[in-house]
Amino acid sequence: MTNSTHFGYKTVSEDDKVHEVAKVFHSVASKYDVMNDLMSGGLHRLWKTFTIANAGVRPGFKVLDIAGGTGDLARAFARQAGKTGEVWLTDINESMLRVGRDRLLDKGLITPTLLCDAEKLPFPDNYFDRVSVAFGLRNMTHKDQALAEMRRVLKPGGKLLVLEFSKVAAPLQKPYDVYSFSVLPWLGQKIAGDADSYRYLAESIRMHPDQETLKTMMETAGLERVQYFNLTAGVAALHTGIKF
């Protein structure tokens, strides 16, 4: 018997959540970047640029990009780490990973890609200088276990960066809800032919821990100097923590 968890607003078994999340991202993979641009008005690119700047990747660094999707962060990190560095693009979803791998190759970047579960990372302890996860943590069933794994594979002095949708400022809550539950599924249907997946994405954001809760979770996982930066009034937030 498996434990229950949430899939958006629904309660499902943990095994079923894995399959349902996989279906969502198999469905949206080919239109993922187009939809991100439409959903955020292109702001997701600025949020990722801010994350890349905060990562401070230097030549020779080893970097792990978890739930790397279409490869935006991995592409930037691979250029910064250079030929002496090592940047891994990973995702639990094969469709997303294929899109990311192909886009890296199209840019002339040959970097390792791996299908793997963030809750069971197949890397040794103390290996990476930086670990990043952008818009992927909220889809993980055991977030505490995933954060512990991310810390495990970091070198002492290494940094974890978690970019995720978060709790928007109170004055924007009502219009944000209207947009999320009315406009977003409509866009999903028109652009990707899939309203349900984008309805789930809106629900998953509401079920994700808020800024302070995620900060506490990272500290509980053993990370130190944890801080967060609200982006666009809290629509997204970047959390960072150091392993000592």
Side-chain angles (χ1 to χ4, degrees):
M1 182 180 294
T2 60
N3 294 324
S4 62
T5 186
H6 60 81
F7 174 73
Y9 289 160
K10 294 188 294 185
T11 299
V12 298
S13 73
E14 291 182 350
D15 288 345
D16 285 344
K17 176 171 180 174
V18 172
H19 295 303
E20 291 299 321
V21 170
K23 284 168 56 179
V24 167
F25 286 95
H26 284 312
S27 173
V28 305
S30 64
K31 298 288 187 180
Y32 189 73
D33 281 345
V34 173
M35 282 300 299
N36 277 349
D37 281 334
L38 288 172
M39 288 188 299
S40 71
L43 286 171
H44 76 102
R45 298 182 184 275
L46 297 178
W47 301 335
K48 289 173 182 174
T49 297
F50 182 77
T51 301
I52 292 161
N54 270 271
V57 172
R58 298 195 296 271
F61 269 25
K62 293 179 180 177
V63 183
L64 172 62
D65 186 25
I66 295 172
T70 53
D72 290 346
L73 295 187
R75 182 167 63 248
F77 293 150
R79 287 172 173 156
Q80 292 171 337
K83 293 182 179 179
T84 59
E86 183 180 325
V87 177
W88 286 79
L89 170 66
T90 70
D91 204 292
I92 197 171
N93 186 276
E94 184 177 357
S95 297
M96 294 294 293
L97 190 64
R98 287 181 184 275
V99 172
R101 178 203 61 189
D102 290 349
R103 291 188 178 182
L104 287 169
L105 290 173
D106 288 344
K107 296 294 183 180
L109 295 168
I110 301 174
T111 193
T113 58
L114 181 68
L115 190 72
C116 75
D117 184 347
E119 297 176 16
K120 303 171 185 175
L121 293 173
F123 299 102
D125 297 354
N126 308 315
Y127 190 78
F128 292 100
D129 298 284
R130 298 287 185 272
V131 174
S132 65
V133 54
F135 306 115
L137 184 65
R138 75 181 187 282
N139 297 308
M140 297 175 192
T141 303
H142 304 104
K143 297 175 180 61
D144 53 349
Q145 185 173 326
L147 290 169
E149 277 289 273
M150 294 175 204
R151 181 193 178 279
R152 179 184 65 79
V153 301
L154 273 172
K155 294 178 181 178
K159 180 188 283 189
L160 171 64
L161 302 103
V162 181
L163 176 63
E164 189 53 89
F165 291 110
S166 200
K167 186 173 182 178
V168 71
L172 297 179
Q173 189 63 62
K174 286 186 178 179
Y176 186 54
D177 283 347
V178 170
Y179 173 77
S180 298
F181 294 106
S182 298
V183 178
L184 185 54
W186 180 83
L187 280 174
Q189 184 61 44
K190 290 293 183 181
I191 304 300
D194 185 351
D196 288 343
S197 290
Y198 285 91
R199 190 171 293 108
Y200 157 72
L201 293 177
E203 292 175 2
S204 71
I205 293 168
R206 301 314 189 280
M207 299 300 291
H208 184 67
D210 64 19
Q211 290 91 326
E212 283 293 330
T213 303
L214 181 53
K215 179 177 183 287
T216 299
M217 290 175 68
M218 291 174 65
E219 290 169 341
T220 301
L223 292 153
E224 300 186 43
R225 294 186 185 174
V226 178
Q227 59 183 331
Y228 62 84
F229 306 88
N230 280 321
L231 306 173
T232 316
V235 173
L238 172 66
H239 284 69
T240 65
I242 306 293
K243 175 178 177 177
F244 285 114

